Amino acid sequence: MKAGLLFGPPVIIEEMDPRLSCEPLHPDEEAMVRRAVESRRRQFSAGRACARRALARLGIEDFPLINGTDRAPIWPAGVAGSISHTKSWCAVGVARQQDVRALGLDVESDAPLKTELWDTVCVSEELEWIGAQASGDRGRLAKLVFSAKECAYKCQYAITRTFLGFDAMQVTIDRNRSVFEARFCRTVDPEFRPGDVIAGRYRFFDEGLVVTAASLMPM
């Protein structure tokens, strides 16, 4: 259990190692990865298997999780969901939207983010913070900033359906409490205004993973 440590009720979490996944896909799901390489198929299959298990715990059985034209999963009506996977781990979170408006979940390898990508992912304040950390920590913390932005992006996208660049949010990390805040730098849709915050939690795991998680409550 990894992502499950970062969410509490009413969010339901299912997780698995995609390298061990061999569960069949629904025909409509199978069509989305028919030409994919084996590693991609395993990750996709694990994500859908976790989604089926999580949705079943909400009483929703045999629901094929299909991507829309924007490549985001189309969750059942009234359900907030988020899915993420790497080659070594997959996690899915779901909740009733009457309890949770939107979810963000991101799983990444904790391998240091390549330095040539820092300027792409990070705004100046984030670069300044990373530069102030111990040199051996900087690459992994840059990866954490990346993951936190991916997590917060998924949260807002479920509401706004708006694509954002990395410069649309500024992430601040509290390493003592293992929490982060993603602060909007511009108006989005108009659900979010400059200064609005999506708060989340994170954790590094010994298996070489960093996981970030966030949720928005109903208004």
Side-chain angles (χ1 to χ4, degrees):
M1 184 66 73
K2 295 174 176 58
L5 298 174
L6 302 181
F7 286 107
V11 179
I12 293 171
I13 299 293
E14 289 287 342
E15 305 175 75
M16 67 187 303
D17 185 335
R19 295 168 294 186
L20 306 178
S21 172
C22 58
E23 297 186 30
L25 293 167
H26 185 280
D28 290 341
E29 297 170 340
E30 173 69 33
M32 292 191 290
V33 288
R34 185 171 293 126
R35 296 182 177 86
V37 299
E38 180 62 22
S39 59
R40 165 62 179 160
R41 286 180 59 86
R42 283 191 172 273
Q43 292 178 39
F44 183 89
S45 176
R48 267 45 188 184
C50 288
R52 279 195 298 275
R53 296 174 189 176
L55 290 172
R57 290 168 62 186
L58 288 180
I60 301 171
E61 301 282 354
D62 301 320
F63 183 88
L65 191 61
I66 309 302
N67 290 349
T69 56
D70 58 359
R71 301 180 65 184
I74 302 173
W75 297 94
V79 171
S82 189
I83 183 170
S84 185
H85 44 67
T86 68
K87 64 181 181 180
S88 64
W89 202 249
C90 171
V92 172
V94 299
R96 296 287 185 188
Q97 284 186 318
Q98 65 190 32
D99 301 316
V100 176
R101 191 181 185 201
L103 289 174
L105 173 60
D106 189 64
V107 180
E108 303 285 345
S109 160
D110 72 352
L113 186 70
K114 294 179 180 179
T115 53
E116 59 264 31
L117 297 177
W118 290 12
D119 285 340
T120 300
V121 171
C122 301
V123 298
S124 59
E125 293 86 351
E126 294 160 349
L127 290 170
E128 182 178 353
W129 176 77
I130 291 169
Q133 308 306 306
S135 59
D137 292 341
R138 292 171 188 165
R140 291 175 80 232
L141 292 174
K143 179 63 75 67
L144 171 59
V145 170
F146 171 83
S147 182
K149 287 190 175 186
E150 288 289 304
C151 172
Y153 170 83
K154 291 179 181 181
C155 251
Q156 73 81 31
Y157 189 81
I159 297 169
T160 70
R161 298 292 163 178
T162 300
F163 292 101
L164 300 179
F166 287 111
D167 60 350
M169 294 180 180
Q170 178 189 335
V171 168
T172 56
I173 308 289
D174 184 336
R175 299 182 70 183
N176 292 322
R177 297 191 298 134
S178 296
V179 298
F180 70 87
E181 289 186 344
R183 190 175 304 275
F184 285 85
C185 300
R186 64 179 178 84
T187 298
V188 180
D189 182 49
E191 289 281 347
F192 299 99
R193 300 177 181 276
D196 286 351
V197 167
I198 294 177
R201 304 171 68 188
Y202 74 89
R203 186 163 175 177
F204 286 98
F205 292 92
D206 292 340
E207 295 87 349
L209 298 171
V210 57
V211 181
T212 51
S215 58
L216 295 175
M217 297 298 103
M219 299 179 67

